[in-house]
Amino acid sequence: MAHLLMVESWVGSMSRLLPRAIREGGHEFTFLTRDLHHYLRSAPEGTAHPLLAARHVLTADTNDADSLLPVVEGLHGTLRFDGVITSCDYYLPTAARVAGRLGLPGPSAEAVENACRKDATRRALEAAGVAGPRYAVCADWAHTAGAARDIGYPLVVKPVDLCAGMYVRRVEDERELLDAYRALADFPVNARGQLRSPTVLLEELLDGPEVSVETVSFGGAAEVVGVTDKSVGGAPAFIETGHMFPAALAPEDTEAACRTALLALKGLGLDGVVAHTEIKLTTAGPRVVEVNPRPAGNRITELVRHVTGIDLAAACVDVALGQRPDLRRRDTGLRSAAIGFLIPDTAGTLVSIEGGDAMWEQPDVLEVRFAEPGEQVTAAGSNNEYLGHVMAADAAGAGARARVETLLAGVRPRVVAA
C-alpha cells in the first residue's frame, strides 16, 4: 500500500475519480488544502465528499509554494509519502515542486509550469518547432491593440492562467477586444484566491474541428490512448458542449493529431504525466491549442474507460508513484461513447428540467446528471456553468454522439429570471 499526498483538487468529477482510483489501487492519501469548505459545499446534501476518505485532511497555505515546501517536508518526515498528486490546474506546478523537493516521482516543475501558463506554452512550443497559431503576448492595452491589428481580426483573446474556457473570447474588432480586455482586468483573482497575471494572450482564429489527444508518458516514452472530438458553442465564448471517444476522423487526421501531441509533450519536456492535448485540425495542418499535464476533464476519462477499459485516473495514480501504468485495452463491448452538456442561456432560478426523468429508461445511456430545482443559474460563459450532462454509448460504431444529441434535444430546462 502506497501513501499519496493530494495537494488540492478540482471539485468536479476528478475529485471523485482520483480518490476512487487511489482506493481501488489499494493505496491511501492525505488531502492537503487551504479551504476544506470549498469542497464540502460541492457535495450533495446528506453525503460525504469522497475527499474526506483521506487518511488525513490537513490545512496549509497551498497558494504560497515557497512557504508550503518546508511544511510538506515536515509532514513527509512523519507521514512518509510515496507520491504527490493533484487534478487542479492551479496546483499542478505546486505538486510538481513538492514532489521534486521530496525526491518523489513526477514531471519537472519547469515543464509543468510552462504547460500551465498559456504564454509560456506558446514560447516553448515555438522554440521546439511545434506548429501553433500566430500569437502575441501583451502586457498592456496599447500593446494588445497594436498586436491585434498585426494578427488581424477575428482573433481569440485568452487569459494566460485560467481554465475551463474562462474569459476566452472571439473578438471581431477593436471594440470587442477592449470589452474582453476590460472583463479580464476586472477579474484579478481566480476562484482559489490566487492573484492573476494581467498578461493577455492573442491568437489567430484557427479553422477546422478541435480534438484532444489523451496520452500517458512514463520513463521517457509517451503512449497515445486515443483521440477525443469536441463540439463547441456559446459564441463569442468557447464552451465545450460535448465530446465523443474515439473521434470519428479519417486515419490520416488521427495520425497527424497524435504525432502533433507527442511533439508537444516533447517540446515542453513533459514526462511522468497523463496529458490532455487540444489540437485544431486546420486546413494548413494540426495546430496545438494547449497542453494540459493532467487527465482530461468533462468526464472524458470515463468515455475512454467505457470504450477501452483503460482507467486514466488510475494511470495518473500509477505515474505519480513511479509505477508503469496498465494501458492494455479490453473489449468492453462498446465502440464509441459520448457526452453532451446542458447549457443554460439565461440567468435565474431553475424550476425544472423537463424530459430528464425518462433518460435512464434508454438502454444505451451510461450517465445522467442534472441540476436540482431551486439552484441558481448563470448564463453560461465558460465550462463552469453546466446544468448537467447525458452520456451514452454505441456498441456498433461511431453513433454515440448522434445518440446524445437526440437525447438532449428532448430536455428543456425551465428557468425563472431573477
Side-chain angles (χ1 to χ4, degrees), residues 30-56:
T30 287
F31 184 54
L32 186 64
T33 177
R34 64 186 290 270
D35 180 12
L36 183 59
H37 293 288
H38 183 83
Y39 304 93
L40 300 183
R41 289 192 297 266
S42 71
E45 187 174 353
T47 66
H49 198 287
L51 292 170
L52 295 182
R55 174 177 162 187
H56 306 283

Side-chain angles (χ1 to χ4, degrees), residues 339-357:
I339 188 169
F341 300 99
L342 192 59
I343 312 294
D345 55 11
T346 58
T349 302
L350 180 65
V351 175
S352 65
I353 296 181
E354 299 175 354
D357 292 341

Side-chain angles (χ1 to χ4, degrees), residues 24 27 50 54 59 68 81 107 113 159 163 182 190 194 207 215 247 271 282 298 321 331 361 364 370 383 396 417-418:
E24 291 179 353
H27 311 306
T59 301
L68 181 66
F81 303 118
E113 288 167 1
C163 311
R182 286 173 170 169
N190 69 23
Q194 297 170 336
D207 63 358
T215 56
D271 188 28
T282 77
N298 271 353
L321 293 171
D331 185 2
E361 300 173 5
D364 48 2
F370 290 126
N383 299 337

Side-chain angles (χ1 to χ4, degrees), residues 3 5 8 11-12 59 71 114 119 123-124 143 156 168 186 192 224-225 231 240 252 264 301 317 320 346 368:
H3 183 198
L5 175 65
E8 303 287 3
V11 297
T59 301
V71 172
N114 284 341
D119 52 342
R123 293 186 178 110
H143 186 190
V156 180
V168 179
D186 289 340
R192 297 306 182 96
V224 173
V225 174
S231 57
E240 296 177 2
E252 59 270 21
T301 57
V317 171
T346 58
V368 178

Side-chain angles (χ1 to χ4, degrees), residues 222-376:
E223 181 171 340
V224 173
V225 174
V227 181
T228 312
D229 75 8
K230 177 188 298 188
S231 57
V232 178
F238 294 83
I239 302 172
E240 296 177 2
T241 60
H243 304 277
M244 186 173 75
F245 182 90
L249 298 174
E252 59 270 21
D253 287 333
T254 298
E255 181 182 351
C258 294
R259 182 172 61 251
T260 301
L262 294 176
L263 288 172
L265 294 179
K266 183 177 180 181
L268 286 165
L270 283 170
D271 188 28
V273 295
V274 177
H276 168 74
T277 302
E278 298 176 347
I279 292 171
K280 275 274 197 177
L281 299 174
T282 77
T283 52
R287 297 291 183 267
V288 175
V289 176
E290 62 184 41
V291 181
N292 300 282
R294 42 81 179 159
N298 271 353
R299 306 292 286 174
I300 290 173
T301 57
E302 290 300 275
L303 301 181
V304 173
R305 186 176 64 84
H306 281 300
V307 175
T308 69
I310 296 172
D311 188 342
L312 289 174
C316 188
V317 171
D318 288 337
V319 297
L321 293 171
Q323 300 173 357
R324 185 170 298 280
D326 182 2
L327 301 180
R328 293 173 296 176
R329 294 174 180 268
R330 299 164 180 83
D331 185 2
T332 65
L334 302 178
R335 295 295 172 263
S336 67
I339 188 169
F341 300 99
L342 192 59
I343 312 294
D345 55 11
T346 58
T349 302
L350 180 65
V351 175
S352 65
I353 296 181
E354 299 175 354
D357 292 341
M359 288 290 182
W360 276 118
E361 300 173 5
Q362 306 299 322
D364 48 2
V365 168
L366 301 172
E367 288 183 10
V368 178
R369 292 183 185 174
F370 290 126
E372 295 293 328
E375 289 195 21
Q376 295 304 302

